[in-house]
Structure formats: C-alpha cells, structure tokens
Amino acid sequence: LAIILGSGSRDQSAVELAQKLLFHVENDLSVFANLTVNDLMKFKGVGQAKAVGVVAALELGRRRKLTTMRPKLKVTSSKMAYDHIRIHLQGLHHEEFHVILLNRANEIICSKQISIGGFSGTVADGKVIFKTALDYSAHALILVHNHPSGQLKPSRMDDTLTEKIKKGAALFDIKLIDHLIVSSEGYYSYAEQHPNW
C-alpha cells in the first residue's frame, strides 16, 4: 500500500500513512477495498491522485480474482483448438505463426504469436517456440499458422518444421499435440491426417 501511495506527508512517511489507512479499517482489506476516492481523501496526505491510484489498484486485484475463477478451456480435439485460435488468424492477408500452450491436463495456459511474415510465408524459429513453452512451464503445445491463400495443404517446409519441433519437444519432455493450418476454408490438422501421430 505504501508503494502505491508513493509518498506520505510532511509529518508522516508513506509506510506510516498506509498503516494509518489500514488501522482505520482494522486491517481488513475487504472493508478497505470498499472505500471510495472521497473516503480516502479525508485522510491527511491522501490527495485525489493517490486516492484514485489506490482505488484503481484494488479494482485491478478484484478483476484479477474474477478472471482466475474462470475455468480453463480443456482441448480434447483439433476442432476445439481451431475454434480457440481461428478468430486471430482468419481473414489475415499475411502469415502468422502462433503456439497454443497447454498444461498437464491439456487446459490452455495461453496462446502466443511467434512470428509474422508476408503473403507467402513466415519463419518460425524453434528456439523461440521452445523458450516460450519453457517460460510458461507448458506440458504440451499446438503449433498453428495460417495460409492467406486459402490453401489448406501443408507445404514441404510445414512438414519439415513440424517434424523438427516434434523431435525437439521430446527432448524437453513437452508433447507436440498438433500442428494446425488455418485458412478461410477451415483447418488442416496434422494429428487428424496422420494416424501414427
């Protein structure tokens, strides 16, 4: 709280001011979170800017709590992964490469853009893919890129990259679940098209 306040007044430090504010609500953060800007401004050393900062920080914390309560999406099929990512890729006039990161229960941790290219291709660096997966402690991943041409057939480069990432992922004990190609025509799934995936 003292860090959010930034400073106290001539008579008290930011820490002392924070202690005074919390003492007023008997150190109950739930009660403190209900104080308004005007309530906070009644305390010496708390102007409008400080009061707004405190209220905004508390609201941000409240919203984060609400967000974490939302159930994570569990991916049980290529179609589910496609439905999750297609809004980001369909209709683009350039290629983008994304990765969907999953936890041990195949729930989506997040989706990350790896690269942006031109109309005919984009370069996906394996080192960037694995660094991203390790940064988020991903247990599994799904590669995704779009074909602005509408063509869903994978290129030889797509095949090579998929095999390279699949082998590399095994070294990190990360499972490559699928590689999706997205276009205006729908999607192509390596996992669905290759029985021994």
Side-chain angles (χ1 to χ4, degrees):
L1 180 56
I3 291 168
I4 294 166
L5 290 167
S7 63
S9 64
R10 187 178 296 173
D11 306 325
Q12 60 189 346
S13 68
V15 172
E16 290 169 331
L17 177 56
Q19 289 171 337
K20 186 177 179 180
L21 291 170
L22 290 173
F23 179 76
H24 174 72
V25 295
E26 299 178 352
N27 292 320
D28 188 331
L29 288 178
S30 296
V31 175
F32 188 70
N34 290 323
L35 295 179
T36 65
V37 170
N38 287 334
D39 291 334
L40 292 169
M41 286 174 62
K42 291 174 183 173
F43 291 87
K44 185 181 177 184
V46 180
Q48 186 175 18
K50 286 182 184 177
V52 168
V54 170
V55 170
L58 290 166
E59 177 63 16
L60 188 62
R62 187 186 70 80
R63 291 186 186 190
R64 181 194 176 277
K65 189 176 179 182
L66 289 173
T67 301
T68 54
M69 288 168 63
R70 269 189 254 161
K72 292 181 178 178
L73 176 65
K74 183 171 184 173
V75 176
T76 56
S77 68
S78 301
K79 175 73 165 56
M80 283 184 75
Y82 164 71
D83 287 339
H84 169 75
I85 199 75
R86 69 177 175 175
I87 191 168
H88 301 290
L89 295 172
Q90 281 186 331
L92 295 179
H93 298 295
H94 61 274
E95 271 201 26
E96 290 189 7
F97 198 99
H98 293 237
V99 63
I100 301 173
L101 305 171
L102 307 164
N103 64 19
R104 193 170 291 277
N106 276 12
E107 296 168 334
I108 295 175
I109 299 169
C110 65
S111 302
K112 290 289 176 182
Q113 183 186 76
I114 299 298
S115 65
I116 300 176
F119 183 77
S120 58
T122 185
V123 177
D125 189 332
K127 292 186 289 294
V128 175
I129 292 169
F130 292 126
K131 181 182 184 309
T132 304
L134 293 171
D135 284 348
Y136 285 87
S137 301
H139 177 72
L141 54 89
I142 299 171
L143 306 177
V144 188
H145 77 280
N146 65 312
H147 281 177
S149 65
Q151 173 64 256
L152 282 176
K153 186 178 178 183
S155 67
R156 186 169 294 177
M157 281 180 61
D158 292 337
D159 291 341
T160 302
L161 175 69
T162 304
E163 195 57 38
K164 181 177 162 186
I165 298 301
K166 192 172 183 182
K167 286 179 181 175
L171 297 174
F172 292 103
D173 199 24
I174 297 172
K175 185 176 180 183
L176 178 61
I177 292 179
D178 205 345
H179 182 174
L180 299 176
I181 299 171
V182 176
S183 83
S184 56
E185 303 301 312
Y187 73 96
Y188 175 95
S189 161
Y190 274 81
E192 289 179 353
Q193 298 298 324
H194 297 80
N196 298 324
W197 178 263

